[in-house]
Amino acid sequence: MNAPPRHTASDRASSNHVTIFDTTLRDGEQSPGFTMSAAQKIAFAHALADLGVDVIEAGFPNSSPADFGAVQTIAREVRGASIAGLARCHAGDIEACARALDAAAAPRVHVFISTSPLHREHKLSMSKEQVVERAIMAVELARRHVDDVEFSAEDAFRTEREFLVEVFEAAIAAGARTVNVPDTVGYATPEEIRDLFRFLRATVKGADGVVFSAHCHNDLGLAVANSLAAIEGGARQVECTINGIGERAGNAALEELVMAMKVRGGWYGVDTRIDTPKLLDTSRLLSRITGIQVQRNKAIVGLNAFAHESGIHQHGMLKNRDTYEIMRPQDVGWPDSQLVLGRHSGRAAVADRLRALGHVLDDALLDRVIADAKALTQTQHVIGDADLLRLVEGERFGPGWRIAAMSLIDAGQHTRAQVELSDPHGRRVRQDAQGDGPVAALFAALAQATGVDFELESYEVHSMGVGRDARGEANLSARIDGDTLSGQGTSRDVLEASAIAWLDVANRVLRAQATQRVAATA
Ligand code: KIV
Ligand code: ZN
């Protein structure tokens, strides 16, 4: 990864490049449930550099020895992005921050102090004059260590405008290159924040030589909209986090902001350095590290972001994907869109999926498979490829053996399985058998009921999906007369999935035997 282009602050202030300042490892990591170990922070910082963010806020070095260590290692190891550390306007914080960033190729010290009347009175117990004095002291001290100093006026949005101008002018005169305007409590609306940025850019002395930055929280769900409005008002840095994690309802989501700027480039007229096909992997890495998944319908990186289930949408997508998609899934890291077969899917989607699986069905057979698939959606939400193939085979060759009910009884050292099956003619067959575990007992009962037996070559079970949609998928294969036959089954219950997979193989064996008998008598 090449180093970011080094422009002067005034180049950046007037350019169309929006600096992406990622604070996943600071504002994100400090929120409940998202704490990371030093090793995890370092791994994630590498991923952020690879993604192409301009500034990585690696932590708050004076907040704990662990944070100091993580920022120091990131500063030493990670190249391709500026590395920032956060510091209050206290000499101790700033010195610690500068020390932690010592080995960085492009260090940034980010100092902040609250400016709103509420914070001045109840949090700091400081007058306006004291706040300005402290801001000047902090920026000057930070500039003795590094060239790149950012000053943030915490709770800027709720600060008196004339005081905000005064503080920013003082910070700029003291040497700040970026001035950050946080909506710390997520109170702003897009119109107001656009207007505030226009006002500040037009009023603050020295505004042309610095970058104005937006830092929006999501308490009203407006963080991304507010950051975009700030860009319209003249902001050329946005502070954001992967998956929108951060204090309370979070910060502006990086992936959403970046894709809004890209997809609506004609409107915003700005660009970023983000390598957008890496967005999904970066989001998933964060979920793996923190153990917290994004919601299914999350823009860009949620499981449903490029999935279509309703028949009308699927039909449109098959004709022209622009009907229901405004960006290519590949542009953010998905392999492709997904036409999910479920209760709302239509004929075109089922036919398309079957074609992709190698089955071109005539209209009558397709109608029957669709009817079977709709019936199946009464008991399972999503129809997978294995389900579809089984339905086609069932319609072509008859349903074969099917599971009607099953139960397992733990009998000390052994397990007893009772199965009730429906045979190929629809008659009920009951059987029970014993085994030294639930799977062995179940397969023994199935073998005795069907009269088919085989040695398993492989047997795997894994779970798909989470929560109410979670299902078990069983895959097994058996070597029979020199051929490998495999079977699959899915169900909410992994043992039932295993029984369906076992019967899938048994039905293939029976069909192969029937075909051989017909051939022999012909
Ligand atoms: O939300 C906020 O105001 C902050 C500052 C420290 C930038 O996170
Ligand atoms: Zn914040």
Side-chain angles (χ1 to χ4, degrees):
M1 167 70 54
N2 297 327
R6 296 265 161 258
H7 298 303
T8 64
S10 92
D11 281 349
R12 286 184 291 134
S14 56
S15 84
N16 290 333
H17 174 74
V18 172
T19 296
I20 299 296
F21 177 113
D22 180 279
T23 183
T24 308
L25 296 174
R26 200 277 300 168
D27 216 327
E29 201 264 350
Q30 79 191 32
S31 58
F34 291 100
T35 313
M36 300 179 213
S37 69
Q40 290 170 331
K41 289 184 90 175
I42 293 156
F44 198 68
H46 280 289
L48 288 172
D50 210 32
L51 178 67
V53 310
D54 299 286
V55 185
I56 298 170
E57 187 163 51
F60 187 169
N62 213 26
S63 65
S64 71
D67 226 30
F68 183 94
V71 175
Q72 192 173 43
T73 313
I74 291 169
R76 198 180 298 133
E77 279 188 13
V78 177
R79 292 293 177 265
S82 300
I83 308 299
L86 185 70
R88 288 168 300 176
C89 289
H90 293 311
D93 271 22
I94 296 163
E95 302 287 359
C97 189
R99 269 200 315 282
L101 294 174
D102 198 38
R108 173 181 293 195
V109 174
H110 177 193
V111 295
F112 77 101
I113 189 164
S114 289
T115 52
S116 69
L118 255 170
H119 281 220
R120 286 194 315 261
E121 187 184 335
H122 298 287
K123 184 177 134 182
L124 300 177
S125 301
M126 281 168 83
S127 66
K128 285 182 177 171
E129 293 69 33
Q130 287 170 316
V131 168
V132 173
E133 243 170 60
R134 202 55 97 64
I136 295 171
M137 175 288 290
V139 174
E140 285 180 348
L141 178 57
R143 276 304 301 261
R144 269 182 240 138
H145 293 283
V146 297
D147 286 340
D148 188 0
V149 173
E150 170 170 339
F151 171 77
S152 280
E154 192 184 358
D155 205 16
F157 185 75
R158 293 192 298 176
T159 300
E160 308 90 327
R161 281 193 172 192
E162 63 288 359
F163 183 53
L164 206 49
V165 170
E166 186 185 337
V167 179
F168 282 148
E169 286 180 350
I172 293 168
R177 291 188 166 179
T178 301
V179 286
N180 186 31
V181 187
D183 177 20
T184 302
V185 292
Y187 184 68
T189 66
E191 291 72 23
E192 287 171 308
I193 209 157
R194 186 185 304 110
D195 185 63
L196 176 61
F197 272 84
R198 282 190 181 140
F199 165 79
L200 290 171
R201 294 235 23 219
T203 316
V204 168
K205 275 196 225 76
D208 285 345
V210 296
V211 173
F212 277 81
S213 165
H215 177 112
C216 298
H217 277 271
N218 203 32
D219 299 65
L220 293 174
L222 292 171
V224 170
N226 284 340
S227 305
L228 291 168
I231 290 170
E232 289 178 314
R236 284 297 173 268
Q237 171 174 291
V238 281
E239 304 198 351
C240 45
T241 58
I242 296 292
N243 296 346
I245 70 169
E247 284 286 356
R248 305 179 308 281
N251 290 61
L254 181 150
E255 59 280 3
E256 296 176 17
L257 261 175
V258 165
M259 289 316 291
M261 286 185 248
K262 185 170 171 147
V263 173
R264 301 306 312 277
W267 177 261
Y268 292 107
V270 291
D271 53 40
T272 72
R273 275 192 333 123
I274 298 296
D275 191 1
T276 63
K278 293 187 175 148
L279 284 170
L280 181 63
D281 277 355
T282 315
S283 156
R284 289 191 162 172
L285 176 63
L286 183 64
S287 295
R288 275 203 304 282
I289 288 176
T290 59
I292 298 181
Q293 309 297 320
V294 298
Q295 83 249 27
R296 261 195 111 90
N297 62 330
K298 163 90 177 58
I300 317 296
V301 293
L303 276 176
N304 283 2
F306 295 91
H308 309 266
E309 185 181 320
S310 96
I312 295 171
H313 287 209
Q314 291 185 343
H315 191 66
M317 280 289 297
L318 289 170
K319 296 217 144 152
N320 180 344
R321 38 181 65 224
D322 292 349
T323 49
Y324 289 104
E325 278 182 355
I326 57 166
M327 56 194 137
R328 287 182 348 118
Q330 292 83 356
D331 287 348
V332 298
W334 292 95
D336 206 342
S337 318
Q338 245 191 307
L339 299 191
V340 179
L341 302 177
R343 200 173 315 147
H344 309 105
S345 307
R347 187 184 174 79
V350 178
D352 186 63
R353 191 70 212 134
L354 281 169
R355 208 172 304 118
L357 294 169
H359 291 270
V360 180
L361 309 190
D362 62 39
D363 281 355
L365 184 52
L366 181 61
D367 284 342
R368 294 205 303 277
V369 170
I370 288 172
D372 294 343
K374 295 251 160 168
L376 199 55
T377 59
Q378 301 304 315
T379 49
Q380 65 185 58
H381 286 152
V382 173
I383 311 276
D385 289 350
D387 300 311
L388 266 187
L389 290 174
R390 204 174 9 264
L391 294 177
V392 172
E393 290 205 350
E395 283 298 341
R396 274 192 173 138
F397 305 107
W401 288 86
R402 280 176 302 164
I403 190 96
M406 54 178 267
S407 62
L408 291 149
I409 302 155
D410 189 4
Q413 287 193 322
H414 295 289
T415 308
R416 232 184 150 69
Q418 293 184 325
V419 295
E420 185 177 332
L421 305 182
S422 161
D423 82 359
H425 309 286
R427 291 175 302 231
R428 291 290 160 123
V429 176
R430 285 198 188 81
Q431 183 69 50
D432 64 312
Q434 195 165 284
D436 55 7
V439 176
L442 181 62
F443 289 174
L446 294 171
Q448 288 171 31
T450 57
V452 180
D453 206 2
F454 45 82
E455 289 277 321
L456 285 182
E457 202 178 43
S458 69
Y459 168 52
E460 285 170 16
V461 207
H462 61 265
S463 73
M464 303 188 300
V466 283
R468 282 186 55 235
D469 281 347
R471 287 183 305 147
E473 183 181 274
N475 289 281
L476 50 83
S477 66
R479 192 107 188 120
I480 298 158
D481 296 338
D483 283 333
T484 297
L485 293 183
S486 46
Q488 281 177 314
T490 54
S491 164
R492 291 243 171 91
D493 177 327
V494 287
L495 284 170
E496 188 173 277
S498 305
I500 297 170
W502 194 97
L503 288 175
D504 196 16
V505 175
N507 287 326
R508 284 166 208 260
V509 172
L510 292 170
R511 276 182 210 121
Q513 288 171 352
T515 314
Q516 276 165 12
R517 272 199 304 276
V518 172
T521 54

